[in-house]
Amino acid sequence: MTDFSRTRDLFHLPDGVIYLDGNSLGPLPKTALARATRTMADEWGEMLIGGWNKAQWMAMPGQIGNRIARLIGAEEGSVVIGDTLSIKVYQALASALDLRPDRRIVLSDSGNFPTDLYMAEGLLRTLDKGHELKIVAPEDVASAIDETVAAVMLTHVDYGTGRMHDIAEITRLTHEAGAISIWDLAHSAGAVPVDLAGCGADFATGCTYKYLNGGPGAPAFIYVRPGLQESARPALSGWLGHEAPFAFDLDYRPAGGVERMRVGTPPVIQMAVLDAALNAWGGIDIADVRKRSIELSELFIAEVEAGTDKLALASPRDANARGSQVSFRFHQGYSAMQALIARGIIGDFRAPDRMRFGFCPLYNTPEEIRRAAAALCEIVETDAWNRPEFLKREAVT
Ligand SMILES: *Cc1c(COP(=O)(O)O)cnc(C)c1O
């Protein structure tokens, strides 16, 4: 059984703060600071360009990819990191469409994160081959999968509501129709158990600054099923995905394996921070994380609903159909969230009216959840949100 009192101490959390936004940006792992300093002072500072060999910077995308692979049920050698998630989504979809040249439909759902849909739109426009991005309601995905579909591109856990797709079942239907499956695990990695290898998923992507605590701007990851790696052609054929980058050939030949999904120079300092952050997962059973996350989210819903009837649950009530977050609708959700943040309780807001709370068993406690729920109820019951300073919109909500 994972000892969650030990894991909390791995993170720096400012005094007096209850942090329920680790699903958007995980907190600073204490060892990451020293690791970043060491990478900068001892490696960059002393080794200069030699760091690529001596400190093995060049191998880090694959090595860290393997550490992430263990958290998402992926095979060794099937995950590589780099770039941002938006870029990795583009790469996965481009390779998928290339593998199904006779089909024209990309199927996604209205619960997908907008950047995934925007990247798909841009790709389809550039391809100019008559592809169509078909967006259906999350509950209609299964019935919309047919033999016209080239790729089913979904986010496992809906960023806004926490609604969770059944990866195994949707992947099975996708394959039955002869299509390629692409899963975005942005809100899954480090939050819910995922078994990519067991499901036979073709591509997966995700970011590392949410539940994996890699810090703002941490590199994203991409998974390619081992059986597809030699046939998946990279659309973004950068030199570090080349078979021999330092041969400086004038023509592109993809590297063997998932390394072909690398593009350009990886962010070394940010990778070092992520590598340190991943140490938190040593000895942790993701099944324990899931169990505790359900306890925390069930407690939050129960306490909020007992304390007010002004909020409407926007997440599935069934914990098994939900990731590690809970959203409530409130007509003044943005301002109520600002009022909550002013009390040191940090969640976030997603338009048009959703107050979003993420639960991270590595550092959130039941006592915090009770206090957060009580403060939220007090704010909406007393209209404490109705003050000029809480009504002003910031750029990031
Ligand atoms: C957080 C998130 C993103 C963010 O993409 P970036 O390129 O890292 O900014 C994309 N997709 C999903 C599903 C997300 O949850």
Side-chain angles (χ1 to χ4, degrees):
M1 192 69 200
T2 307
D3 178 2
F4 290 110
S5 62
R6 181 190 66 81
T7 55
R8 182 177 168 88
D9 199 44
L10 298 172
F11 298 93
H12 170 76
L13 290 156
D15 281 343
V17 162
I18 295 178
Y19 196 58
L20 302 179
D21 214 1
N23 54 319
S24 220
L25 176 67
L28 172 68
K30 287 177 184 166
T31 57
L33 205 55
R35 179 67 187 272
T37 305
R38 214 170 68 226
T39 301
M40 293 177 77
D42 301 353
E43 298 181 5
W44 179 18
E46 296 302 319
M47 298 174 190
L48 296 159
I49 189 88
W52 288 105
N53 291 322
K54 282 191 222 145
Q56 302 237 318
W57 293 340
M58 200 46 95
M60 287 172 82
Q63 284 168 355
I64 297 176
N66 277 331
R67 301 189 72 187
I68 294 170
R70 284 171 221 137
L71 298 173
I72 53 176
E75 303 87 341
E76 178 93 1
S78 62
V79 176
V80 72
I81 63 166
D83 316 295
T84 67
L85 177 48
S86 302
I87 298 290
K88 290 309 182 207
V89 167
Y90 185 96
Q91 286 183 289
L93 182 59
S95 292
L97 295 182
D98 187 57
L99 288 163
R100 289 294 177 272
D102 300 332
R103 298 187 179 199
R104 288 291 176 271
I105 303 289
V106 175
L107 180 65
S108 191
D109 74 11
S110 54
N112 207 344
F113 192 89
T115 199
D116 296 42
L117 302 175
Y118 302 162
M119 294 308 283
E121 275 179 40
L123 170 62
L124 301 190
R125 195 170 57 241
T126 308
L127 288 175
D128 198 19
K129 286 185 186 157
H131 286 97
E132 182 197 334
L133 175 60
K134 184 171 173 184
I135 300 173
V136 301
E139 55 278 13
D140 295 336
V141 168
S143 60
I145 300 172
D146 62 25
E147 289 177 6
T148 65
V149 173
V152 179
M153 182 188 87
L154 297 167
T155 294
H156 179 211
V157 176
D158 182 322
Y159 77 101
T161 64
R163 182 193 189 281
M164 188 159 64
H165 278 295
D166 181 340
I167 295 195
E169 177 60 8
I170 299 274
T171 301
R172 189 185 69 73
L173 293 170
T174 301
H175 288 163
E176 217 170 73
I180 301 281
S181 69
I182 305 169
W183 289 101
D184 192 327
L185 304 177
H187 291 276
S188 314
V192 296
V194 176
D195 181 12
L196 286 180
C199 300
D202 298 310
F203 293 89
T205 57
C207 49
T208 61
Y209 50 79
K210 291 173 179 160
Y211 294 95
L212 298 181
N213 313 303
F221 65 84
I222 185 166
Y223 164 85
V224 184
R225 182 164 63 76
L228 272 187
Q229 285 173 8
E230 300 310 315
S231 49
R233 291 199 304 172
L236 301 179
S237 39
W239 74 306
L240 290 187
H242 192 281
E243 183 181 43
F246 285 85
F248 292 104
D249 289 339
L250 295 186
D251 55 337
Y252 177 79
R253 290 189 313 278
V258 74
E259 293 273 327
R260 65 180 55 191
M261 292 298 165
R262 291 176 63 169
V263 183
T265 305
V268 172
I269 298 161
Q270 195 86 60
M271 286 194 298
V273 168
L274 172 59
D275 195 41
L278 290 171
N279 292 339
W281 298 93
I284 287 187
D285 184 345
I286 195 84
D288 292 341
V289 172
R290 175 65 174 156
K291 184 163 171 282
R292 172 93 156 179
S293 145
I294 289 178
E295 283 164 16
L296 296 175
S297 64
E298 293 284 88
L299 176 64
F300 187 69
I301 293 171
E303 296 276 307
V304 170
E305 292 188 333
T308 184
D309 56 11
K310 296 201 160 126
L311 296 166
L313 184 64
S315 300
R317 192 165 288 283
D318 173 6
N320 293 315
R322 205 167 64 215
S324 200
Q325 63 175 74
V326 166
S327 301
F328 280 100
R329 293 187 196 284
F330 182 58
H331 57 95
Q332 294 292 338
Y334 178 78
S335 303
M337 185 54 77
Q338 297 312 303
L340 203 55
I341 293 169
R343 286 162 170 73
I345 298 164
I346 303 178
D348 61 22
F349 172 77
R350 289 294 174 264
D353 59 359
R354 293 171 292 195
M355 301 181 73
R356 192 171 69 150
F357 302 90
F359 305 101
C360 300
L362 264 48
Y363 49 85
N364 289 138
T365 64
E367 178 51 28
E368 287 184 330
I369 300 308
R370 279 195 196 90
R371 283 172 41 209
L376 174 60
C377 293
E378 186 254 323
I379 286 166
V380 298
E381 284 293 319
T382 64
D383 292 347
W385 51 268
N386 194 6
R387 292 166 59 139
E389 68 266 34
F390 300 146
L391 297 170
K392 187 176 148 291
R393 282 280 168 117
E394 300 276 1
V396 175
T397 65

